[in-house]
Structures are given as C-alpha cells and as structure tokens.
Amino acid sequence: MGKTVGASARTVGLGLSVLLAGGSVLTVLESRANAATDPGYNYVATPFNAANFTHPTVIDNPYMPLIPGTQLVLEGRADRGEGGRTPHTVIFTITDLTKVVAGVRTVVAWDQDINQGVLQESELALFAQDDDGNVWNLGEYPEEYVNGVYSVAPSTWLEGSGGGLGGVHVHANPQPDSLIYLAGRVPAIGFFDVAREVTRETSTSVPTGSYDHVLRVDEWDPSAQPDDGHQVKYYAPGVGLVRVGPDGGVEQEGLVRAETHHLTADELAAARMASLEIDGRARSTKSSNKSVWKPSAALVRATLPDAPRSAVATATPGGATIVWDPPISDGGAAVTGYTVSASPGGITRTVTSPAATFDGLTPGVSYLFTVTANNIEGAGSVTTSNAVTVPAPPRAAATLVGLEPGRFVDSRLPGGRTFDGFAAGGGLRAGGSVTEVLVGGRGGVPGDAVAVSLNVT
C-alpha cells in the first residue's frame, strides 16, 4: 500500500552499532549490501532465501492475514499539498493473481490511494509468507496520477532485480522494543524503509471494532529529511492493519479501518481485470530504464488447488476420524478450508485444518471418505481415504442401586394398593394375557434404568 501498507526495507553494515537521533541504537546481525555504499545505515535483516518459501501464497500471519477476495478500506485525513489535511482514503484489495519474483510466487495486492475523492496512486504490491511465518514485501509497481489521470510510474522495484531488496513487513513473532530492521531498500529509486516493533499490548477502537493486544510498529526512512516524520501502524491479531498514525512530519496521515469487504465473484473479477490492466501498462509503456517490471514474470490468475495427500481414516466407536496432508500446490491462493464427505450417507464436514471427525455413523457399515481442498477459485481435486467399518459404541457399565421395597402393581379387587396409587385394583388377569407395568420413574427407579429386580406373586 505504498507507504501506508506496503513499503518495507533492509540491511547494510557489518557488525556495527550506531547511535541515532533520539538515542536508538542499531546493531547489525546480517548484511545484504556493502557497508561502504551506505555509511551509517546499519540494520538487522532477515536473509532472503527462496528455498524458505514452501507455500508463499498462504499468508495467514495473525497480524497480516492476506486472503484473496478480501478488501479493507482505510479512511482519514492527510496533507498532500492541497490545502492542509484533507479527506484521504486507501483501498487495499487482495486479488486472486500471483507473480513469481526471485523464485518465489507472491500474492498480488491492488492498492488505491485517493485524496479528496481523486485517485492519486494505483499500485500493485507483492507479498509472500516464508516458512517461519514472516510476511515479506517483494516488489511494488506504483502508478502516479494527476487529476485522476495516469501520469508516470517511476518507482517500480522487485526483489533481486536492479539492486532491489525486499524485506519482512510483519514478523511471525514480533518482539516489542527489539532492534530496528530494514524492510526494503532500492537505492536506484530512493526507496528506503526501516521499522521497529514497539508493543503488542495496545488497545484501539475503529469503525470495524475494538481490538486488544494490538501490535504497534514504527516505520520511517532513515535517509529522509526530518520533516518526513514516521508512520505508526497498528495490527490487530486475526484482523490485520486497523490504524495508521503520524509521528511528526508534514503529511500527518491518519487513517482508521472503516470497512472490511469479502468480495463477490463479480467484484473479485473486476479487481483482477483492473490489476491486469495495470500490469499491461507496466509492460507496454516506455518507462525509465530503472523499471524492472517489464521483463519480469507476468501476473497469473490462481488455479484450483491439488488434491490433499495421504487421507487416512480410523474407525472410532460410532464414528471415524480422518487426517490428511495439505496439497502440494495450493493453486497460487491460500487454502481456505477442506470439505470432507462420508459414503454412504453423504454426511459432510467443512474444516480449516487437515483433520475431521464424524460421529453418529451406522455401526457395522463400511465407509469411505473423500477430501477436497478449497481456495478462492473453488474446490480442487478429490482424494479418497481407506475404507473403515464403524464399530458399535460401547454400552456404559451398569450400576446396581438398592431401593426401599415398594408395590408397583396390585390387581386385587377390591383392596388393591400400591405405594403411589398407580396400577392398583385392576382385577383378575385373564389366562395368557399380558399386563404392562410402568417401573421407570416410579419409586426411585431412574427413567433410563436398563433392568430392575421384581418379585411377582
């Protein structure tokens, strides 16, 4: 999301500690650039390794979940040089498109930056999650608009191309008051962003709800002028970005999450088409020689996921449990759940993790179970479990309980008497007849008793 949601940066330096304005100490743990090229800029960096991205489009980091088909709207005010702080809107849409960058398939987000109702910037931002759960920003293509009309796109960058270094946008396990880390660095276009996780104990309320244990992150450009200031972002667990606030600077951008949308199929298709049009301009325009987007991999729509693997069913008394492994390929979009069906009977379960439990199945019947993985594009291929025969549930052990003797039926007429007056004086019973006697629920006998001891005279 440009500076609001997407920008990030990364490390230079070798084992140095530097005292910055305000007393912050920066210590280098890793290096991704020659320290001589950036004297004084030293930051912690997570090394980029494409092999550490097994399922990169499954972005379920609790502080920044990016599920295709979701859209957040941030509303507020900012000073964009149009007469003070004016109404400002950011619309951030997670599409079902992907793009391979530096060997990693990324999720394509479409970010619209609107000031006083007029589009100022329309950007494609690329995110991926590594196997440790960190969300990375691996590229951006921001188009600038004048009076709502496309003008230029000079600030394109991609991880590994033209000196571009992406970075961790949100860590899997944020450490408040930890070292400053570099979230993205592209000297060719003057992009440099660092961040520090401040706390995870903030509470905040915005139009979409009230949130606790909110992660507060401070972001800034250490090479910028002092009047650029910092940006403070607030991430609610399980929700994502809910607030953006200024810390100094002239722009004073303040935003809150005003709406969260789950797009319909038509709305998602419209977002997809708009993103593909932006990608088309990136490839067809005669942009500056700094642009790295034009020769890069094209945007690709997500496909259905592969079949889940190794579905194993185990019979349980009166039911069964089924476990399986996720599909090798998620189709380029996060798996949102699994559908499991029992045959015969057609009983269906929908779960989010690779396991399901079925109760109430018929004892003695052999069952098979089919499993499909689902993503934003629909249900993928089917895998079938082994057959299992359901055993009968065990009966609970009987408990003998002693009761005071009592007469449950007395057919004598006249003079028949029972302890509660019920079934008294029925008269002589005919030979070969059947007389039903109610026992459960009388004289202290439980209604669900399975047996009683009676004397018959």
Side-chain angles (χ1 to χ4, degrees), residues 82 118-121 143-152:
E82 299 177 6
V118 179
L119 183 65
Q120 283 197 331
E121 185 176 273
E143 293 186 338
E144 298 176 12
Y145 286 68
V146 177
N147 296 323
V149 178
Y150 168 73
S151 175
V152 292

Side-chain angles (χ1 to χ4, degrees), residues 385-434:
S385 75
N386 55 296
V388 293
T389 300
V390 177
R395 297 180 65 92
T399 301
L400 296 177
V401 178
L403 300 174
E404 288 294 326
R407 186 172 292 168
F408 282 81
V409 63
D410 188 343
S411 64
R412 292 178 296 179
L413 189 66
R417 290 184 298 173
T418 60
F419 63 87
D420 57 2
F422 183 77
L428 184 67
R429 304 291 91 192
S433 65
V434 175

